[in-house]
Amino acid sequence: MNSKILAVTLCALALAGTAGGASAKGCLKGAAVGAVAGHYAGHHAVIGAVGGCVAGRHLANKKAADQAAAEHAADPATQAAPAK
């Protein structure tokens, strides 16, 4: 059991050291939810955390792209001039 905790801690530290603040958006929340779900689904918390991180990153990127598209569509400077 202690070796699993050590392995998870080392992996988390390695990932935290390589990831910037902006690239971790969605990963931490997804990893927490995935770890809890994985734990209750058969003691697979690490696998759940990895899957949750991937899913969280995907959803955060999709939300950011949707917001950027909405801002772009609402900006009058990017609208085409009406034809005369």
Side-chain angles (χ1 to χ4, degrees):
M1 183 66 170
N2 288 336
S3 62
K4 287 182 182 181
I5 293 171
L6 179 63
V8 170
T9 303
L10 290 175
C11 287
L13 289 174
L15 289 174
T18 60
S23 63
K25 190 168 229 164
C27 181
L28 296 176
K29 185 177 180 181
V33 172
V36 170
H39 172 73
Y40 285 109
H43 300 288
H44 298 292
V46 176
I47 294 171
V50 172
C53 179
V54 171
R57 287 277 301 132
H58 173 72
L59 292 174
N61 288 338
K62 184 177 178 185
K63 182 178 178 182
D66 290 346
Q67 286 178 344
E71 289 174 6
H72 180 70
D75 188 9
T78 60
Q79 302 296 322
K84 293 184 179 183

